[in-house]
Amino acid sequence: MTATNDQRKIRYAVVGLGWFAQQAALPSFIHTENSELVALVSDDPTKSEELSKKYGINHTYSYDEYEDCLASGEVDAVYIALPNHLHCEYTVQAANQGIHVLCEKPMAVTEEECETMIKAANDNNVKLMIAYRLHLEEANLQAVEIVRSKQIGEPRIFNSVFTQQVEEGNIRLRDATGGGTLYDIGIYCINAARYILQDEPIEVFAVAANNGEERFNEVEEMTSVILRFPNERLATFTCSFGGASVSTYQIVGTKGDLRVEPAYAWQGELKHYLTINGETQERTFEDHDQLAAEFTYFSDCILQDKNLEPSGTEGLIDVSIIQALYHSIETGKPVQIQTRDACGGKLRHQRPTSAQTIEHPPVDETPDLIHAAAPSGES
């Protein structure tokens, strides 16, 4: 059952109740006018019980009861915040029941899984959006506009560092669940390079490093990447699970540069440092509820039957780049790449612009976590 315009609100089930769902997603529904949290899906009965009481949720389901949730008539859309290796399965199940899907990034672990998800959404005429929250966030979208306006001249270099300490035992450190630096945090750098340069890489190269700690037995500690873009532009970044908390990117043009810091944060102020002809201007962007913006935008696209950005194709392109980077690490060689969509082989041209900016007040307080732990350096 799908909501009509007269209902005004899209009814969501949140699937997976890890730290990010608890701290960022669940509290954000209070800031949306067209979205309503009606169901929780988790195999942890303590989480389900305590969070349903906290948010006044009447419907809770285990993962084995997911199909019951989808067929209940109570839900119009799901927000999937599960481990990466489960994204495809749970998206396809929802699409086959006519339920719209907002899926966390990375979209999936392989290109084939991404294509399966896109096909399921298309075959069932449901919306599929990948949760690139920064595509709706003012500081990042204004960075896009600064580069597009040629204030810094022709963009030549994109460089980023995104690092944090991830504690032993965290799911991000498990290979079987789609963990690793590129899938978890490197994807932010890849995506930012693409929306800042408004283009797709044609060649990639990567190297991984590991300091030998036991927590990095299954995945790399850190990765450094070079992306070659058309017109001989280069994007570089390093991401790490074993460094202090850093989140920044810089675009260097022929006349100036722009630095965004912290670049990828989901809460708190973001800052621009724009330097032209040796003079630097600083601009601060206020804290906003980025998850409420996502739900608002996705619900509006459902209610108004509008094409959305970022679509499944956006998620597919990033996963194809990540797979090429791991191939480069394995072979020690650059990898040629063609990022084409899953439907017809055409390069994607729809990209985020400042027109997508959505601002909601920040979440008042950070909720206490129930049977979940945030990575060190995040809250």
Side-chain angles (χ1 to χ4, degrees):
M1 178 178 177
T2 300
T4 66
N5 287 331
D6 292 335
Q7 286 179 269
R8 296 188 307 280
K9 287 191 176 184
I10 296 297
R11 301 166 300 169
Y12 284 82
V14 170
V15 186
L17 299 176
W19 79 270
F20 191 73
Q22 290 188 38
Q23 290 202 338
L26 298 182
S28 71
F29 281 93
I30 194 173
H31 291 144
T32 67
E33 295 181 354
N34 61 1
S35 309
E36 182 181 9
L37 177 61
V38 300
L40 303 174
V41 183
S42 172
D43 264 357
D44 186 321
T46 302
K47 287 181 182 180
S48 295
E49 180 180 358
E50 294 191 23
L51 292 170
S52 63
K53 287 180 180 178
K54 179 179 178 65
Y55 294 103
I57 307 303
N58 295 322
H59 309 291
T60 62
Y61 300 87
S62 68
Y63 294 132
D64 287 340
E65 297 168 331
Y66 183 52
E67 285 285 349
D68 296 334
C69 172
L70 298 172
S72 66
E74 301 155 356
V75 171
D76 307 305
V78 291
Y79 168 64
I80 295 177
L82 293 165
N84 301 336
H85 71 299
L86 298 175
H87 288 183
C88 180
E89 175 187 349
Y90 280 76
T91 292
V92 170
Q93 283 183 265
N96 287 340
Q97 291 283 356
I99 303 298
H100 304 284
V101 178
L102 174 59
C103 181
E104 265 302 340
K105 58 197 172 302
M107 181 177 179
V109 180
T110 68
E111 292 177 80
E112 291 75 19
E113 287 182 334
C114 294
E115 290 165 352
T116 298
M117 295 162 71
I118 292 170
K119 184 177 186 301
N122 290 339
D123 288 349
N124 293 283
N125 195 31
V126 301
K127 305 288 186 187
L128 170 60
M129 176 173 156
I130 311 304
Y132 290 98
R133 52 185 168 74
L134 299 180
H135 287 216
L136 304 166
E137 192 279 318
E138 185 182 16
N140 280 273
L141 294 178
Q142 284 301 311
V144 170
E145 298 300 336
I146 287 170
V147 174
R148 289 179 64 184
S149 68
K150 302 297 177 68
Q151 291 183 53
I152 61 171
E154 292 292 334
R156 300 296 299 149
I157 300 165
F158 173 95
N159 183 55
S160 182
V161 176
F162 193 13
T163 58
Q164 57 192 233
Q165 288 286 349
V166 178
E167 296 179 357
E168 187 171 356
N170 191 286
I171 196 169
R172 300 171 175 208
L173 301 177
R174 292 180 58 193
D175 179 63
T177 57
T181 56
L182 292 177
Y183 282 111
D184 189 73
I185 55 179
I187 191 170
Y188 285 89
C189 310
I190 294 167
N191 198 256
R194 292 175 50 236
Y195 63 67
I196 290 295
L197 296 177
Q198 300 278 288
D199 215 336
E200 307 296 353
I202 57 176
E203 184 180 36
V204 305
F205 179 72
V207 294
N210 195 319
N211 64 8
E213 291 183 30
E214 186 175 347
R215 58 178 164 153
F216 302 122
N217 281 347
E218 295 187 29
V219 302
E220 68 283 353
E221 176 204 352
M222 61 180 173
T223 308
S224 286
V225 167
I226 301 173
L227 307 175
R228 184 187 299 276
F229 282 79
N231 300 318
E232 291 299 296
R233 294 166 296 170
L234 295 177
T236 63
F237 68 85
T238 297
C239 53
S240 172
F241 283 159
S245 183
V246 176
S247 169
T248 183
Y249 66 72
Q250 183 178 28
I251 313 100
V252 180
T254 52
K255 297 180 180 178
D257 72 273
L258 172 67
R259 180 164 56 92
V260 182
E261 185 175 352
Y264 309 116
W266 65 272
Q267 63 178 353
E269 295 180 342
L270 279 70
K271 290 191 175 183
H272 278 191
Y273 301 89
L274 177 62
T275 303
I276 300 174
N277 295 325
E279 295 187 5
T280 300
Q281 295 179 335
E282 180 180 326
R283 180 180 177 185
T284 299
F285 296 84
E286 294 182 0
D287 184 12
H288 290 108
D289 188 337
Q290 296 181 18
L291 274 291
E294 277 190 327
F295 292 126
T296 296
Y297 176 79
F298 187 51
S299 294
D300 184 59
C301 287
I302 295 170
L303 291 167
Q304 304 299 326
D305 192 22
K306 297 191 297 189
N307 291 330
L308 52 78
E309 195 291 321
S311 67
T313 302
E314 179 76 354
L316 166 61
I317 291 173
D318 277 344
V319 170
S320 69
I321 293 169
I322 290 171
Q323 287 199 277
L325 289 168
Y326 277 119
H327 182 60
S328 176
I329 291 170
E330 291 170 3
T331 62
K333 298 178 180 179
V335 175
Q336 304 288 323
I337 187 169
Q338 288 186 322
T339 51
R340 300 185 178 275
D341 69 22
C343 307
K346 295 181 179 179
L347 282 170
R348 173 189 175 280
H349 293 292
Q350 184 183 6
R351 301 185 188 278
T353 69
S354 60
Q356 291 182 193
T357 304
I358 296 178
E359 298 177 358
H360 288 292
V363 174
D364 292 335
E365 61 182 74
T366 301
D368 293 331
L369 292 172
I370 301 169
H371 291 184
S376 178
E378 298 194 51
S379 59

